[in-house]
Amino acid sequence: MSAAHVLGLRSETPFVSLRRNALANFLGQAWGAAMGLAFLPVYIHYLGIESYGLVGVFALLQTWLTLLDAGMSPTLGREMARFTAGAHSAQSIRNLLRSLEVVCLLIAIAICAVLWASAGWLAQDWLRAERLPVDVVRDGIGLMAFVVALRFVEGLYRSAVFGLQRQVWYNVVNAGLATLRSVGAVLVLAFVSPTIGAFFVWQALVSALSVLVIAGGVYAALPRAPNPAGFSRVALYDVWRYARGMAIITLLSLLLTQVDKILLSRLLTLEAFGYYALAATVAGALYLFMAPITTALHPHLVSLVARADEAGATASYHHAAQAVTVFTLPVALLIAFHGEGLLFAWSGDAKLALSAGPILAALALGNALNGLMHVPYQLQLAHGWTSFAIKVNLVAVALLVPAILWLVPLYGALGAAWAWIALNAGYVVVGIPLMHRRLLPTEMRNWYVRDTGLPALGAAAGLALLSAFKPAELTSRLGWLLFLTGAFLMALLGAASAAPGLRARAMASMRRVLAP
């Protein structure tokens, strides 16, 4: 019996499985994002914006330390997806998992030790705290070390679960953990200690629980092997080429998405960096609308490519690309034109909205353009073609870093955000034609027109219809909330109506429902 039958993956059509996983990812990640974003004003209330700047530093450290993953997590996810398509035996996939676990654990221990040892230097010589004592900042960074190490290990198991296409299970579990992480943090701050140290102690406890639960889910999903799993150099050697390419792509992607935060954490005060970190966090919520689709798409495309099903891969590519446009651009345009109002409706703090709103608007546009490239990127990975992303990102890094060094001293944080927009516009204009010269060479026009252009115009038209009802001042949170809700729904309706593939599928589903 094949691995796919063992895991129960043959009972559904590919599109049913893809839609189910995408929906599960959206609901799970929506809940996780809602938990995080809903309580951000509460965190700032108890901790202050300067201490929240440390939370931004934590997110930055966590992101950059994924470099040490060296491509292990995406490689394991890909191999788990290939296992479901019959490319691995139960023994070989368990050996690969065990081998990567050993490497990942050793790296996590090193991360914890180095961060703990560097806490004093980071607190005194790198970060520019104005009101927080140096010892408070140092202790906070020391606690971060444990949380970052645990999240590093969790990432390996999460990739395995996604590769096995157990995404419904993961999102149910992750929603519960996200609730525990966010609600528990508020309770700790409110009733135990309103300090950054207490915040990170709670994060460490929940992260340890997350590792145990998700690791258990991975092993429960795998069929038994004839022999106990063991460390295998051969298993690592078989995947090292793909892992190497993914490691380089990860490095370049992090340079592109995080170099602004590294520079700003040094150039700005911790309070000003807190505003930028807040804007980046809210703008990052855009990925909530695209990540569920691309996360579900990756193992699906890998399986189609492994079976040489080009027609299926083409259909899935366009279906996912249109879905990303429809669910991302309405939110991005809403934030871009009404970022200050959105922050005010969310937090009730006019000063915060005015300080972070312009940065949020620019970052949202850049993230939206970046998100449009996610489906083409998944197509490249499904074909094992990592060199293209490496070359494109090398050029992008060579342009972005000097641009930030030039613009930030002149325009502050907003200069870095506009550099991000320009970079991602270049991806859309230059990267897509280069990719389609090799993969799906006849489909480029469909991507530009049907998958992206028409839904974008529909979203803009829907948003413009309600622009006359925009509140004039930052005074009524309810007024802004009602306006933003209506504007989003109109933009979403406009985008969905203008997306040919999604519109056709919706009409077909409606005809089936109404058929006698």
Side-chain angles (χ1 to χ4, degrees):
M1 183 179 293
S2 70
H5 280 91
V6 170
L7 294 172
L9 299 176
R10 295 294 189 185
S11 58
E12 298 175 316
T13 66
F15 275 118
V16 170
S17 177
L18 179 60
R19 286 197 297 265
R20 180 204 62 187
N21 286 335
L23 178 61
N25 291 335
F26 178 77
L27 294 175
Q29 292 182 36
W31 184 259
M35 287 293 99
L37 292 173
F39 293 114
L40 274 186
V42 182
Y43 298 157
I44 294 173
H45 170 74
Y46 282 109
L47 297 174
I49 190 65
E50 193 171 40
S51 287
Y52 181 75
L54 281 179
V55 178
V57 172
F58 161 69
L60 182 62
L61 284 172
Q62 182 178 320
T63 302
W64 270 96
L65 287 172
T66 57
L67 281 177
L68 299 178
D69 181 84
M72 289 187 298
S73 294
T75 298
L76 180 61
R78 181 175 187 265
E79 295 308 310
M80 287 290 181
R82 296 182 71 240
F83 164 68
T84 66
H88 279 283
S89 67
Q91 186 68 58
S92 67
I93 199 64
R94 280 181 171 265
N95 286 346
L96 177 61
L97 174 60
R98 178 55 49 83
S99 303
L100 292 175
E101 281 176 329
V102 171
V103 176
C104 185
L105 182 60
L106 292 175
I107 295 174
I109 293 172
I111 288 173
C112 190
V114 171
L115 273 181
W116 182 272
S118 304
W121 173 76
L122 289 170
Q124 188 163 357
D125 297 328
W126 184 267
L127 299 175
R128 296 170 56 190
E130 296 182 318
R131 290 184 293 275
L132 283 178
V134 171
D135 60 334
V136 172
V137 178
R138 181 197 62 223
D139 293 344
I141 295 172
L143 290 168
M144 287 182 202
F146 291 98
V147 185
V148 169
L150 288 166
R151 296 276 182 93
F152 182 82
V153 176
E154 181 185 333
L156 184 74
Y157 292 116
R158 181 172 57 249
S159 291
V161 170
F162 286 154
L164 291 169
Q165 302 194 49
R166 294 201 69 207
Q167 295 168 35
V168 174
W169 175 87
Y170 171 80
N171 283 287
V172 171
V173 169
N174 192 53
L177 292 169
T179 304
L180 183 64
R181 181 179 293 115
S182 299
V183 175
V186 170
L187 295 176
V188 167
L189 293 174
F191 298 109
V192 179
S193 175
T195 62
I196 195 68
F199 176 85
F200 281 120
V201 167
W202 178 252
Q203 298 302 313
L205 292 174
V206 178
S207 294
L209 177 63
S210 298
V211 170
L212 294 175
V213 172
I214 298 172
V218 172
Y219 277 99
L222 292 174
R224 293 185 178 275
N227 301 306
F231 183 85
S232 170
R233 292 183 180 180
V234 173
L236 294 177
Y237 180 80
D238 287 343
V239 299
W240 80 272
R241 189 181 302 275
Y242 183 83
R244 180 190 63 183
M246 289 305 304
I248 296 172
I249 290 173
T250 301
L251 168 62
L252 296 173
S253 297
L254 285 175
L255 283 173
L256 293 171
T257 59
Q258 302 299 320
V259 72
D260 58 335
K261 301 177 185 65
I262 290 178
L263 293 173
L264 293 173
S265 70
R266 177 63 173 171
L267 297 172
L268 302 177
T269 65
L270 195 55
E271 179 179 350
F273 181 71
Y275 284 119
Y276 185 86
L278 176 68
T281 299
V282 177
L286 275 175
Y287 291 108
L288 161 70
F289 296 90
M290 60 189 81
I293 299 168
T294 55
T295 301
L297 179 67
H298 177 69
H300 180 71
L301 274 181
V302 169
S303 296
L304 291 172
V305 171
R307 295 196 294 267
D309 184 356
E310 184 173 352
T314 301
S316 295
Y317 173 73
H318 288 304
H319 181 68
Q322 284 188 38
V324 165
T325 305
V326 167
F327 290 112
T328 301
L329 283 188
V331 184
L333 293 176
L334 186 73
I335 295 174
F337 288 105
H338 309 297
E340 294 178 359
L342 178 66
L343 287 177
F344 176 70
W346 170 58
S347 68
D349 188 334
K351 177 186 175 182
L352 183 149
L354 292 171
S355 299
I359 303 170
L360 170 62
L363 290 175
L365 280 178
N367 286 355
L369 291 169
N370 181 266
L372 296 179
M373 300 300 296
H374 282 202
V375 171
Y377 175 63
Q378 295 302 326
L379 181 67
Q380 297 162 39
L381 295 186
H383 284 271
W385 186 26
T386 58
S387 61
F388 177 74
I390 291 173
K391 294 173 183 176
V392 171
N393 286 345
L394 277 172
V395 174
V397 169
L399 295 174
L400 181 64
V401 173
I404 290 177
L405 292 174
W406 171 47
L407 292 171
V408 169
L410 294 175
Y411 303 104
L414 192 59
W418 279 104
W420 179 238
I421 292 177
L423 172 75
N424 286 290
Y427 274 129
V428 173
V429 173
V430 178
I432 287 294
L434 291 175
M435 186 203 79
H436 277 292
R437 291 175 61 182
R438 174 168 172 176
L439 301 179
L440 306 182
T442 62
E443 301 300 323
M444 183 183 72
R445 183 178 182 277
N446 283 335
W447 187 89
Y448 274 119
V449 177
R450 296 167 60 88
D451 299 346
T452 305
L454 292 176
L457 290 174
L463 195 63
L465 289 175
L466 288 187
S467 60
F469 298 96
K470 173 185 174 181
E473 303 289 341
L474 299 178
T475 53
S476 171
R477 294 179 70 183
L478 179 60
W480 271 103
L481 180 61
L482 293 175
F483 167 73
L484 292 169
T485 301
F488 167 71
L489 292 175
M490 289 300 296
L492 180 63
L493 179 62
S497 299
L502 296 185
R503 186 177 65 245
R505 289 185 177 278
M507 294 298 294
S509 298
M510 187 177 298
R511 285 194 294 269
R512 286 196 297 269
V513 170
L514 298 178

